Amino acid sequence: QTKTGQLFAYARDDRPWGGADPPGVAYVYAPDRKAARPIEHLAGFAGVLQVDGYSGYRALAAGSQVTLAFCWAHVRRRFYELAVAGAAPIASEALTRIAELYRIESDIRGLSAAERCRVRQEKSRSILEAMEPWLRGKLGLISQKSKLAEAIRYALVRWEGLTRFVDDGRIEIDSNVVERTIRPLALTRKNALFAGSDRGGEHWAIIASLVETCKLCGVDPQAYLTDVLSRIVTGHLNTRLDDLLPWAYATTPNLKAVA
């Protein structure tokens, strides 16, 4: 018999707005996907959490100091699937409007949070203010049981979180930084299939956190792990664990040669 476990991914990458903190991702294993899991994982966290459409995050935001920002890539995906399947003028128009937002984001990537916010207020806000009534109007013209109606409702019920990025230059338009860190795990899952046990899943999460954080920091994961294990064997002090985190290696010269 087998059971299905879950890996939750929590990522931070402040580079798009020039933040000084290093990027990183933490995978946390859980035996199920209940809403209680992210509440437990993020106990004590206060701030903005950018998420997909998983309903469990709403419970997190309802009972804590967490503010949710939603992901436009997930909205776009639903309209894209309809547009590529055949003639879908409303879905195609939605994609065109969303593309305008992404063009603005491309232009401001790497600017300061304040400058990103200014440009979004000037350019993105009007697009969003026009899009919401347009979506509501189209929703009233189509079958409420259609996939198109589902796609529109998906966006409208999350509208406040979807537009939050306009007022905060630190927030991205989507959660693709997390999507990219999940992709290698999804491929590994298909190749390996089994973690062996809940404990195996926890070990998998730890190694994945180190490897994928290395990638975000531009550090060779194999060289990093080789060096870290060598230091541990030779008596690296527990009080200096920060020296062994991936971002501590990001500016270390000749790491590959040393390892």
Side-chain angles (χ1 to χ4, degrees):
Q1 294 184 346
T2 61
K3 60 179 290 188
T4 300
Q6 303 288 333
L7 284 181
F8 286 80
Y10 300 98
R12 178 189 66 190
D13 190 347
D14 295 342
R15 292 174 294 182
W17 56 270
D21 290 329
V25 57
Y27 296 92
V28 185
Y29 174 80
D32 53 53
R33 200 163 181 256
K34 296 178 180 178
R37 300 304 178 182
I39 293 175
E40 176 187 340
H41 300 160
L42 296 172
F45 171 75
V48 177
L49 182 69
Q50 192 156 32
V51 298
D52 57 18
Y54 170 52
S55 60
Y57 294 119
R58 291 185 179 274
L60 173 69
S64 70
Q65 295 177 289
V66 175
T67 301
L68 297 183
F70 286 103
C71 170
W72 273 99
H74 283 79
V75 174
R76 181 188 180 279
R77 187 177 304 157
R78 289 170 175 260
F79 289 114
Y80 177 79
E81 290 172 353
L82 293 170
V84 297
I90 296 176
S92 297
E93 173 65 16
L95 291 175
T96 299
R97 292 171 182 251
I98 295 171
E100 293 178 19
L101 295 173
Y102 272 89
R103 277 194 290 271
I104 296 169
E105 292 301 304
S106 178
D107 291 339
I108 63 176
R109 186 166 299 278
L111 299 182
S112 68
E115 184 64 12
R116 279 157 59 100
C117 184
R118 185 192 66 78
V119 174
R120 287 168 174 174
Q121 294 284 341
E122 180 183 320
K123 298 181 179 181
S124 302
R125 181 173 292 283
S126 59
I127 297 172
L128 292 166
E129 288 177 346
M131 191 186 304
E132 183 183 15
W134 178 80
L135 286 171
R136 293 191 184 280
K138 297 302 181 184
L139 182 60
L141 300 175
I142 61 177
S143 169
Q144 299 305 295
K145 296 181 179 181
S146 66
K147 291 291 185 181
L148 179 58
E150 289 181 12
I152 294 176
R153 284 195 297 267
Y154 180 92
L156 290 176
V157 298
R158 295 169 176 80
W159 196 255
E160 183 179 1
L162 284 169
T163 57
R164 186 156 279 129
F165 77 100
V166 174
D167 297 314
D168 190 335
R170 300 169 303 168
I171 302 175
E172 285 287 89
I173 192 173
D174 56 38
S175 59
N176 279 348
V177 61
V178 175
E179 296 297 312
R180 287 190 292 268
T181 60
I182 289 174
R183 191 171 297 116
L185 271 294
L187 293 173
T188 301
R189 177 190 62 204
K190 293 178 180 179
N191 292 331
L193 191 59
F194 299 113
S197 63
D198 286 335
R199 188 61 177 162
E202 293 169 2
H203 291 159
W204 188 0
I206 293 169
I207 295 299
S209 298
L210 292 172
V211 169
E212 295 304 318
T213 297
C214 279
K215 293 178 182 179
L216 284 173
C217 293
V219 174
D220 183 327
Q222 183 175 358
Y224 164 78
L225 289 172
T226 301
D227 187 65
V228 166
L229 292 173
S230 297
R231 292 195 192 194
I232 291 173
V233 168
T234 55
H236 188 88
L237 297 177
N238 288 341
T239 55
R240 297 183 57 192
L241 286 179
D242 285 353
D243 296 345
L244 301 183
L245 295 174
W247 45 78
Y249 286 71
T251 57
T252 302
N254 301 320
L255 175 61
K256 292 183 179 180
V258 171

